[in-house]
Amino acid sequence: MELAKAYDPKSAEEDHYQRWEKSGFFTPEVNQNPAAPTFSIVIPPPNVTGSLHMGHALQHTLMDVLARWKRMQGYRTLWLPGTDHAGISVQRKVVEQLKKEEHKKPTDIGREEFVRRAWAWKEEYGNTITEQMRREGASVDWSRHRFTMDESLSLAVRNVFCTLHEEGSIYRGLRIVNWCPKDKTVLSDLEVKDEVKKGGQLTYLKYPVIGAGRTITVATTRPETMLGDTAVAVNPSDDRYKDLIGKMIALPLTDREIPIVGDEYVDAEFGTGAVKVTPAHDPNDYQIGQRHDLPHLLVMNDDATMNANAGADFEGLDRFAAREKVVERFEELGLLEKVDEYEVTLPICERCKTVVEPILSEQWFVKMDEMREMALDLMKSEGVPHFSPRIPHEKVYTAWLENLKDWTISRQLWWGHQIPAWYDEKGNVFVACTAEEAYEKAGTRSLTQDPDVLDTWFSSGLWAFSTFGWTGERNADTPVRSFAQGADKSVRVPLSDLDNFLPTDVLVTGRDIIFLWVSRMIMLTRKFTGKKAFEDVVITGTVLGKDGKPMSKSRNNGVDPIEMFDKFGVDATRIYLASIATGADIKWNDIGVETYRNFANKIWNATRFCLMYSETSDFDWATATEDERKLYRKEKGGLTLADRWIDSRAAKTAHALNRALETYQFHEAVSLVYHFFWDDFCDWYIELKKDEITEGNILATTHIFWVLDMALRMLHPFMPYLTEELWLKLPGSSNELHHEAYINAEASIMLAGFPVGNPKWFDDIAEKEMEAVIDAIKKVRNIRAEMNISTAVSFTVHIAAHSYYQKVFVENEAQILKLAKAESLVISDELDVPKASAKAVTDNASIAIPLEGLIDFDKECERLLNQITKLTDEKTRLDGQLSNVNFLERAPAEKVDALRERSVELEHQIQTLKNNLEALS
RNA sequence: GCCGUCUUAGCUCAGUGGUAGAGCACUCGCUUCACACGCGAUAGGUCACAAGUUCAAAUCUUGUAGACGGCACCA
């Protein structure tokens, strides 16, 4: 079979995905084993507004590696894809579109039309990311794709809301909330970020105290809020002010009189020791207001302009303009004490970067107490979820839960799940799953639904179970898609996806949404299904730009995954991403991907070499069991050392690979397959077997295909396209090689069994013998290189060794001659060579090459001295330890023995080298 | 303020009580019939610094310096 000289990822990427998808390989139904265990992952649903970035690519790669690995192991595997309706983001897109195309505001077209357009926007642009996921090779079950506003998911949302409300866990209340004046909606604490702003100011305002003939000074970073002050608070034990408690202040710029109150909250040491109290615009002031029964005076509109309460002079002014004007007026009145430079951290809207205004507002909240305890208990009693990496996430997650406050769930948007609460004309609330129910409850049809929608995270918090058909309906028929698991294969009990796939096995996501999403999904899943959402959570690190900073549009340091796919191939990009240590941040570098692009090419060419000599064997290597193969080889003359060695290496690699993936050590897994394939298989095995193979030795080709097949299977989860492309070309690849669960499906490596790495194939003797051969070859190569001997010059290699290894060298003479480019081999007990020879020692042998006329004596001295120095340094270190009584007494005996043996061995080698050196002079 | 992470070869990063590793770059040599996206051979590190625990520390503890993250507060 002829293969191109270099691997071209494009064609493989185009061919296979469609076929996999069309053949239903991504669905759990492809698994025909009724007793198969299940494996499930739900995708963190990307925003419909999003397009693929490197963080997605990383997470998707890890999820796909797990899904493909488990699928090959015979698990009934489901990786469920979907998208999130992304309330604010979509709303903003539609608003922009409306403005640009029609110069209209949302209120011009009304809610119904706006929502219709949002859906249209979603239909048109919302599947960018799902298309990109196909390119990634993501083995997701598209037939189970979910959207957070799908009918059944929306039903789940309403039912959860109603249940929580019935229990009293959801309530409506007046609170200080984070208000974004640009998006004109409330935000949860988690959607507010801090931004340190230099050049901020702390303004000191003097308030005249009535009847005291003095003023009291308060400091503020938001002078405009003084228009809403309803008190000044001082610490009751503060001698400077305690006489003033109870007195009234004539609040400047207003005609209001406000009291001075004593409150322990006030820190006498900080600022002036007196605090202006604005209960409607500050959470702490609100608390003080509650304690002293102060009125709340809201002085701003929802766009952060001042309202009528601020007075005629200020009404309509933006908050920042009002701020300046307040300061000016105080100065005019002589009541401005001073303005200090002050570094302030401003709360900003995570999405639009507008300064968030704390404002008193009526919103819906979820009490988190019960669910918090559930989640904490799960962690405490079962250690669930198990985070990878555990440090620091387990602790951070637990600490966050312990301090969890009520969750603000209403949002002043039109796009999303409208809150299922209706009001009558008197303002009575009726919470119900449908309008009809609400009418029934209210006994009237003249109700108005709450205009707000729910926080996007409310619906995504149900993702782990709402995606499997859970709607919260009593007596509802949950859709039955999959068939049963169970010990008795004859009994096929139909089970719903919910039964089959919840709890999911693992969640793979970024650390930025542990609180926003992961924690809420854990709590809501536990509460509403009684099950765990997932056992394990893999937290990926951040892929940073080349400058070491997080990728962002403003920094223009982003790297587009699609560009990388085009440049290096999907497989190379995937395996590079998987090679990043779990949870570690990494600076992006193209060279890393290039390494794996080269690796892909190496795999391609190794396979190409094998296929050049793929004579049909009289033995069906492909479908034979490992035992049958061994038996066959034995009958036909047995396995060579190289065969036994590569079998052992392959088994050990597969074994370690499975252990690494079980513990989510993806980078370790990559390292294992990379070095097995390149170092063991290509650099040594192929080279050792080359003659046999090119000569058409059927035993040799049979065995090499067996190893290659195993290597490709191990690589498949990381490099799906390349491995499929090559595997299908292997002689004998067919669905007979599939895992037994997929025996009827069309041939594909993605359904082949994943190598187990049975320890019974570990062969330490073969590895030790092979190493002796490899060491000898390396020493000869070293001599050739350091003596500058052209490969055109051939020479005789003398090897002295114990009889055991003499036998090994004799049996592998052909290989040694070929790889060391030597002409002949002399194997003996003792070296017997002329003075003009270059020499070296290995752990098992002494090596000499007579080089009459070619040897550079100075150089040879240097070589020998170098070797002696290295070994002597090591021996000195060992002997130091061995002469330490404490070491001998306290270190484990086996350690001491090992060191003793090594020391003796080193002494022997050093002595040999010294003799060699003497012989030179 | 509280909690936490990182600092290892020129670069990007693994490792984690018992002789320092990879990829790339560098040096030398190879157009060897799978692959120059390659092959072979070298070189390169007192594992940030200091003290401690230990027979043994890059690995554990404490502190210092630098880089960074989360949470809280911010009159």
Side-chain angles (χ1 to χ4, degrees):
Chain A
M1 191 178 303
E2 287 288 319
L3 250 61
K5 200 168 173 183
Y7 173 52
D8 170 28
K10 287 262 163 56
S11 65
E13 287 165 22
E14 280 160 16
D15 289 350
H16 299 301
Y17 195 88
Q18 271 202 331
R19 185 172 53 85
W20 292 331
E21 187 182 344
K22 223 165 50 193
S23 306
F25 292 172
F26 301 154
T27 71
E29 285 75 18
V30 72
N31 190 311
Q32 299 282 304
N33 173 13
T38 61
F39 181 80
S40 61
I41 301 180
V42 289
I43 198 168
N47 288 350
V48 278
T49 50
S51 61
L52 196 75
H53 58 61
M54 215 39 97
H56 293 126
L58 170 59
Q59 291 172 20
H60 296 170
T61 295
L62 302 190
M63 283 183 261
D64 200 41
V65 165
L66 292 171
R68 287 178 182 273
W69 170 57
K70 284 290 177 184
R71 193 180 291 113
M72 288 174 79
Q73 287 186 332
Y75 284 72
R76 175 171 294 118
T77 301
L78 170 60
W79 177 17
L80 185 140
T83 42
D84 187 282
H85 67 276
I88 293 182
S89 298
V90 171
Q91 175 123 0
R92 191 175 295 138
K93 297 269 184 197
V94 177
V95 169
E96 278 167 17
Q97 192 182 43
L98 202 57
K99 189 176 172 188
K100 199 174 159 194
E101 292 172 9
E102 300 175 47
H103 306 288
K104 283 182 181 168
K105 289 182 292 185
T107 43
D108 295 337
I109 61 171
R111 180 171 194 142
E112 205 173 313
E113 176 62 14
F114 184 88
V115 170
R116 200 190 62 74
R117 295 198 187 199
W119 276 105
W121 187 94
K122 182 250 173 193
E123 292 307 324
E124 187 166 356
Y125 304 107
N127 44 20
T128 307
I129 203 152
T130 51
E131 284 311 312
Q132 290 171 321
M133 282 184 66
R134 287 183 158 86
R135 178 83 191 275
E136 288 180 300
S139 62
V140 294
D141 181 357
W142 291 110
S143 74
R144 284 177 168 85
H145 182 273
R146 297 286 180 267
F147 176 56
T148 46
M149 281 172 68
D150 282 350
E151 187 49 43
S152 83
L153 277 72
S154 301
L155 189 56
V157 164
R158 291 196 299 273
N159 277 314
V160 164
F161 187 96
C162 289
T163 304
L164 289 173
H165 183 261
E166 275 168 31
E167 288 179 7
S169 295
I170 281 185
Y171 64 94
R172 192 159 176 258
L174 200 59
R175 292 290 161 85
I176 296 283
V177 295
N178 307 298
W179 185 265
C180 175
K182 186 173 175 199
D183 292 324
K184 292 181 189 162
T185 179
V186 65
L187 301 171
S188 74
D189 292 348
L190 290 169
E191 292 163 299
V192 178
K193 296 294 164 203
D194 287 340
E195 186 177 272
V196 177
K197 186 172 181 179
K198 285 170 192 158
Q201 294 180 332
L202 188 61
T203 308
Y204 291 76
L205 305 173
K206 293 196 276 192
Y207 288 178
V209 183
I210 296 167
R214 58 172 285 194
T215 59
I216 187 166
T217 305
V218 295
T220 180
T221 54
R222 294 188 292 152
E224 71 282 9
T225 63
M226 63 76 53
L227 297 166
D229 284 1
T230 57
V232 166
V234 297
N235 191 296
S237 57
D238 189 339
D239 290 339
R240 292 173 296 176
Y241 301 121
K242 65 182 178 192
D243 295 347
L244 297 178
I245 294 171
K247 290 207 178 343
M248 298 301 281
I249 281 166
L251 189 65
L253 313 186
T254 72
D255 53 7
R256 291 187 292 115
E257 293 186 0
I258 59 173
I260 296 173
V261 298
D263 195 287
E264 295 287 348
Y265 165 76
V266 180
D267 179 359
E269 304 295 313
F270 191 90
T272 63
V275 181
K276 59 188 278 304
V277 180
T278 324
H281 288 276
D282 184 278
N284 294 306
D285 293 7
Y286 179 77
Q287 298 291 329
I288 298 174
Q290 293 289 92
R291 288 194 285 274
H292 299 275
D293 205 20
L294 300 171
H296 311 132
L297 191 65
L298 198 65
V299 292
M300 280 183 205
N301 298 309
D302 65 4
D303 60 354
T305 58
M306 309 309 285
N307 67 17
N309 291 334
D313 282 357
F314 296 95
E315 185 176 1
L317 283 182
D318 179 76
R319 55 184 163 168
F320 300 117
R323 180 173 300 175
E324 282 179 30
K325 192 164 179 181
V326 165
V327 175
E328 275 170 31
R329 296 294 300 276
F330 266 78
E331 192 157 23
E332 287 164 24
L333 293 167
L335 292 173
L336 182 66
E337 187 173 303
K338 60 175 177 176
V339 177
D340 280 354
E341 290 283 305
Y342 191 69
E343 189 179 273
V344 284
T345 42
L346 295 173
I348 58 161
C349 172
E350 183 182 42
R351 290 168 195 280
C352 74
K353 314 297 176 200
T354 305
V355 177
V356 166
E357 198 66 29
I359 213 164
L360 190 66
S361 175
E362 185 149 57
Q363 301 291 340
W364 290 91
F365 299 89
V366 182
K367 280 187 198 163
M368 301 305 293
D369 305 318
E370 185 200 347
M371 283 190 272
R372 172 187 54 216
E373 292 312 313
M374 275 180 178
L376 283 171
D377 183 60
L378 204 55
M379 177 55 83
K380 206 173 155 187
S381 61
E382 299 183 50
V384 170
H386 175 268
F387 284 98
S388 291
R390 189 169 176 180
I391 297 168
H393 300 113
E394 182 176 306
K395 200 170 165 184
V396 172
Y397 165 80
T398 308
W400 181 79
L401 278 180
E402 281 164 354
N403 297 302
L404 189 53
K405 288 187 247 168
D406 289 359
W407 173 16
T408 316
I409 49 168
S410 43
R411 294 290 182 277
Q412 287 64 49
L413 304 171
W414 282 351
W415 175 243
H417 299 101
Q418 194 169 355
I419 290 178
W422 282 261
Y423 305 95
D424 67 13
E425 280 146 12
K426 291 175 192 157
N428 294 314
V429 190
F430 302 94
V431 171
C433 201
T434 62
E436 284 305 321
E437 270 179 51
Y439 298 152
E440 210 170 293
K441 279 188 180 176
T444 169
R445 296 186 74 85
S446 59
L447 298 178
T448 321
Q449 188 171 2
D450 193 303
D452 291 355
V453 299
L454 289 164
D455 180 4
T456 303
W457 298 106
F458 190 89
S459 53
S460 44
L462 315 180
W463 187 252
F465 55 104
S466 64
T467 49
F468 294 137
W470 186 96
T471 59
E473 295 291 275
R474 269 173 235 166
N475 305 319
D477 292 327
T478 44
V480 174
R481 285 287 301 267
S482 220
F483 34 79
Q485 48 193 328
D488 184 352
K489 295 188 185 187
S490 63
V491 183
R492 289 162 68 105
V493 186
L495 287 175
S496 66
D497 277 5
L498 193 66
D499 294 323
N500 275 325
F501 299 116
L502 189 74
T504 62
D505 290 86
V506 55
L507 186 77
V508 180
T509 191
R511 63 171 86 90
D512 52 333
I513 54 174
I514 295 177
F515 304 149
L516 280 166
W517 187 53
V518 180
S519 65
R520 285 163 180 168
M521 199 156 45
I522 289 166
M523 293 187 276
L524 287 162
T525 308
R526 188 68 164 174
K527 171 144 180 84
F528 284 91
T529 68
K531 293 195 190 183
K532 292 169 215 160
F534 29 76
E535 299 277 339
D536 297 344
V537 177
V538 173
I539 300 294
T540 60
T542 310
V543 184
L544 307 169
K546 286 167 190 157
D547 57 359
K549 306 239 170 71
M551 292 184 186
S552 75
K553 280 180 196 132
S554 56
R555 279 196 204 88
N556 196 28
N557 61 349
V559 180
D560 181 358
I562 303 294
E563 278 177 30
M564 290 300 120
F565 294 167
D566 290 340
K567 193 170 170 191
F568 299 111
V570 172
D571 288 326
T573 310
R574 284 173 57 119
I575 194 169
Y576 168 65
L577 288 168
S579 78
I580 300 166
T582 313
D585 289 354
I586 188 156
K587 270 186 237 186
W588 182 267
N589 65 335
D590 282 7
I591 287 165
V593 193
E594 203 180 316
T595 297
Y596 291 102
R597 189 272 316 260
N598 296 350
F599 182 46
N601 192 241
K602 189 73 179 176
I603 296 166
W604 176 266
N605 274 291
T607 307
R608 179 167 166 253
F609 170 76
C610 294
L611 288 173
M612 282 175 171
Y613 303 98
S614 59
E615 302 293 321
T616 315
S617 168
D618 61 337
F619 175 71
D620 187 1
W621 67 275
T623 57
T625 66
E626 289 177 10
D627 288 313
E628 285 165 350
R629 286 192 191 103
K630 293 270 165 170
L631 195 65
Y632 179 79
R633 288 306 305 244
K634 204 172 172 185
E635 285 169 358
K636 300 281 178 179
L639 296 163
T640 66
L641 173 61
D643 293 333
R644 287 185 287 122
W645 171 77
I646 199 73
D647 287 358
S648 181
R649 294 294 314 132
K652 282 189 180 174
T653 302
H655 188 265
L657 174 60
N658 282 301
R659 299 294 89 76
L661 288 175
E662 278 158 16
T663 51
Y664 307 113
Q665 302 294 302
F666 299 95
H667 60 297
E668 173 66 15
V670 170
S671 172
L672 284 164
V673 287
Y674 182 90
H675 291 291
F676 170 72
F677 197 91
W678 203 310
D679 301 349
D680 295 339
F681 185 65
C682 292
D683 286 351
W684 288 104
Y685 188 67
I686 289 183
E687 296 304 329
L688 288 162
K689 302 287 285 185
K690 209 165 223 175
D691 281 347
E692 288 175 60
I693 291 181
T694 52
E695 283 159 13
N697 179 326
I698 286 172
L699 297 176
T701 53
T702 299
H703 201 78
I704 204 165
F705 275 117
W706 178 62
V707 179
L708 178 61
D709 163 67
M710 192 154 152
L712 291 178
R713 295 186 202 210
M714 289 195 276
L715 285 159
H716 179 258
F718 305 94
M719 311 180 90
Y721 292 119
L722 170 67
T723 49
E724 177 77 325
E725 178 80 8
L726 293 176
W727 189 82
L728 290 173
K729 291 178 161 59
L730 299 189
S733 61
S734 75
N735 59 6
E736 289 179 51
L737 282 173
H738 282 181
H739 185 280
E740 59 180 9
Y742 314 112
I743 216 78
N744 296 321
E746 184 195 337
S748 168
I749 193 174
M750 69 175 280
L751 302 177
F754 197 80
V756 175
N758 191 329
K760 85 174 177 185
W761 301 118
F762 295 1
D763 188 340
D764 289 333
I765 293 169
E767 293 204 28
K768 186 120 180 78
E769 292 179 4
M770 193 72 237
E771 269 160 31
V773 172
I774 288 173
D775 283 349
I777 293 167
K778 286 189 155 189
K779 285 296 179 192
V780 177
R781 284 172 170 175
N782 173 273
I783 289 169
R784 187 186 286 277
E786 302 213 329
M787 289 287 140
N788 290 321
I789 298 166
S790 156
T791 44
V793 176
S794 205
F795 44 50
T796 299
V797 174
H798 294 250
I799 301 180
H802 283 116
S803 55
Y804 179 87
Y805 282 104
Q806 284 186 34
K807 190 162 171 275
V808 172
F809 292 129
V810 168
E811 281 167 0
N812 293 277
E813 182 172 352
Q815 282 76 17
I816 295 170
L817 292 178
K818 182 179 170 70
L819 299 188
K821 297 193 195 320
E823 196 170 62
S824 57
L825 205 55
V826 177
I827 297 163
S828 56
D829 292 330
E830 294 291 339
L831 288 179
D832 180 19
V833 290
K835 178 181 159 186
S837 296
K839 293 174 183 168
V841 290
T842 71
D843 285 355
N844 307 293
S846 294
I847 291 162
I849 303 172
L851 292 170
E852 198 63 57
L854 289 169
I855 196 161
D856 176 335
F857 283 98
D858 291 342
K859 209 163 206 170
E860 175 63 6
C861 280
E862 197 187 314
R863 273 190 64 248
L864 292 172
L865 276 170
N866 257 337
Q867 293 180 66
I868 291 169
T869 309
K870 263 189 195 165
L871 296 176
T872 308
D873 284 352
E874 191 186 339
K875 185 162 187 296
T876 308
R877 218 172 19 243
L878 291 189
D879 291 348
Q881 271 187 282
L882 286 168
S883 62
N884 183 335
V885 182
N886 286 324
F887 172 73
L888 297 178
E889 279 175 3
R890 304 194 193 191
E894 38 192 280
K895 193 89 220 162
V896 177
D897 289 346
L899 254 57
R900 279 210 176 100
E901 269 178 47
R902 181 69 187 153
S903 178
V904 171
E905 172 62 31
L906 284 170
E907 178 55 34
H908 175 245
Q909 291 187 22
I910 290 166
Q911 210 45 58
T912 308
L913 288 167
K914 279 184 176 167
N915 293 343
N916 293 344
L917 190 59
E918 264 177 43
L920 273 184
S921 51

